[in-house]
């Protein structure tokens, strides 16, 4: 006995859906639509079993399917599931949370792929983005050092300037030492800022000009 491949829809049903039930009598159309609804509802319920279906069986099921074709089919399946969710007014985050619970309880040695499935709610995405932005814009060690040196240097110079107004004779002697130290610290901070500017601004710009002069010129021109 030869194996017959079954699908969610029968061959006749697929043909009639593709033709939008053209030339099908109203009574037959209503009958077919009722049967299709029943098959869809039953098919969705089968996913309860397929969640824990062994990885190897999925690999064998699609080993002869081209990646592009499979990607297109999975995209259609995803859109269909999302349409059902929207039409039935099911909150997406609530569905994701339920899927996360199912994922945690269903993982075993035959379904290792479940561990690689990423399910994130809107709150999960928000926390991830906030963390990534915080890491990206967190000042580096050199940035913090340069800021500190600049603040200390400016503070010392301001102190000496005020001291020169109050006690000008004192600042001509030992009182000038804080100003000298402040100038040195300020110069160190500015030097770090300059090196970072060369590394992160000047050199990338020069590389861009060297690799694509026309694009660099257009970008420069667009600034005006």
């Amino acid at each position: 006995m030869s194996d017959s491949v079954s699908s969610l829809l029968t061959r006749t049903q697929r043909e009639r859906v593709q033709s939008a039930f053209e030339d099908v009598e109203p009574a037959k159309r209503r009958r077919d639509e009722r049967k299709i609804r029943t098959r869809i509802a039953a098919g969705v319920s089968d996913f309860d079993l397929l969640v824990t279906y062994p990885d190897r069986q999925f690999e064998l099921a699609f080993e002869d399917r081209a990646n592009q074709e499979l990607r297109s089919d999975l995209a259609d399946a995803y859109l269909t599931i999302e349409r059902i969710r929207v039409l039935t007014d099911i909150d997406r985050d609530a569905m994701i949370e339920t899927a996360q619970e199912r994922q945690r309880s269903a993982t075993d040695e035959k379904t290792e792929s479940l561990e690689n499935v990423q399910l994130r709610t809107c709150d999960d995405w928000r926390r991830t983005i906030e963390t990534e932005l915080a890491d990206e814009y967190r000042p580096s060690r050199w940035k913090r050092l340069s800021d500190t040196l600049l603040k200390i240097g400016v503070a010392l110079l301001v102190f000496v300037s005020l001291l020169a107004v109050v006690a000008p004779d004192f600042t001509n002697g030992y009182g000038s030492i804080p100003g000298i130290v402040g100038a040195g610290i300020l110069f160190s901070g500015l030097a770090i800022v300059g090196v970072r500017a060369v590394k992160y601004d000047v050199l990338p710009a020069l590389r861009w000009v060297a690799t694509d002069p026309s694009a660099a010129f257009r970008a420069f021109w667009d600034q005006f």
Side-chain angles (χ1 to χ4, degrees), residues 92 95-104 114-122 124-125:
R92 188 178 187 278
M95 185 185 71
I96 294 297
E97 291 173 356
T98 302
Q100 289 172 337
E101 295 175 0
R102 187 80 166 95
Q103 182 184 33
R104 287 190 292 268
L114 276 173
E115 299 178 0
N116 299 323
V117 176
Q118 295 185 357
L119 300 171
R120 296 183 181 181
T121 63
C122 290
D124 293 335
W125 281 112

Side-chain angles (χ1 to χ4, degrees), residues 128-140:
T128 300
I129 293 174
E130 289 175 351
T131 301
E132 291 177 351
L133 289 176
D135 292 339
E136 181 178 355
Y137 291 100
R138 181 180 292 113
S140 66

Side-chain angles (χ1 to χ4, degrees), residues 138-163:
R138 181 180 292 113
S140 66
R141 178 167 58 91
W142 289 105
K143 177 65 167 58
R144 293 194 299 270
L145 177 60
S146 65
D147 289 345
T148 301
L149 292 176
L150 291 174
K151 291 177 182 178
I152 294 175
V154 170
L156 288 175
L157 291 178
V158 170
F159 171 74
V160 172
S161 299
L162 294 176
L163 190 62

Side-chain angles (χ1 to χ4, degrees), residues 10-165:
T10 66
R11 180 176 60 83
T12 300
Q13 288 172 344
R14 286 199 301 272
E15 292 175 351
R16 290 180 176 177
V17 170
Q18 289 172 345
S19 65
F21 294 93
E22 185 178 358
D23 299 329
V24 178
E25 296 178 0
K28 289 184 177 180
R29 174 170 181 167
R30 289 191 296 271
R31 181 200 62 190
D32 285 346
E33 288 176 338
R34 183 178 65 255
K35 289 183 177 180
I36 290 173
R37 291 195 301 269
T38 301
R39 292 177 70 93
I40 292 174
V44 170
S45 298
D46 285 341
F47 284 109
D48 176 57
L49 300 174
L50 295 177
V51 165
T52 55
Y53 203 56
D55 288 347
R56 182 55 181 164
Q57 296 303 315
F58 282 125
E59 292 172 350
L60 293 173
F62 298 104
E63 64 178 354
D64 296 329
R65 188 79 64 88
N67 286 341
Q68 185 174 359
E69 179 185 359
L70 181 58
R71 182 169 59 248
S72 178
D73 290 342
L74 291 176
D76 291 336
Y78 178 78
L79 285 174
T80 302
I81 291 173
E82 279 294 289
R83 287 184 61 200
I84 295 173
R85 181 190 64 79
V86 171
L87 290 170
T88 53
D89 197 26
I90 294 177
D91 181 72
R92 188 178 187 278
D93 281 358
M95 185 185 71
I96 294 297
E97 291 173 356
T98 302
Q100 289 172 337
E101 295 175 0
R102 187 80 166 95
Q103 182 184 33
R104 287 190 292 268
S105 63
T107 303
D108 60 36
E109 58 189 23
K110 293 183 179 180
T111 58
E112 294 180 355
S113 61
L114 276 173
E115 299 178 0
N116 299 323
V117 176
Q118 295 185 357
L119 300 171
R120 296 183 181 181
T121 63
C122 290
D123 288 339
D124 293 335
W125 281 112
R126 187 181 301 108
R127 285 191 293 268
T128 300
I129 293 174
E130 289 175 351
T131 301
E132 291 177 351
L133 289 176
D135 292 339
E136 181 178 355
Y137 291 100
R138 181 180 292 113
S140 66
R141 178 167 58 91
W142 289 105
K143 177 65 167 58
R144 293 194 299 270
L145 177 60
S146 65
D147 289 345
T148 301
L149 292 176
L150 291 174
K151 291 177 182 178
I152 294 175
V154 170
L156 288 175
L157 291 178
V158 170
F159 171 74
V160 172
S161 299
L162 294 176
L163 190 62
V165 175

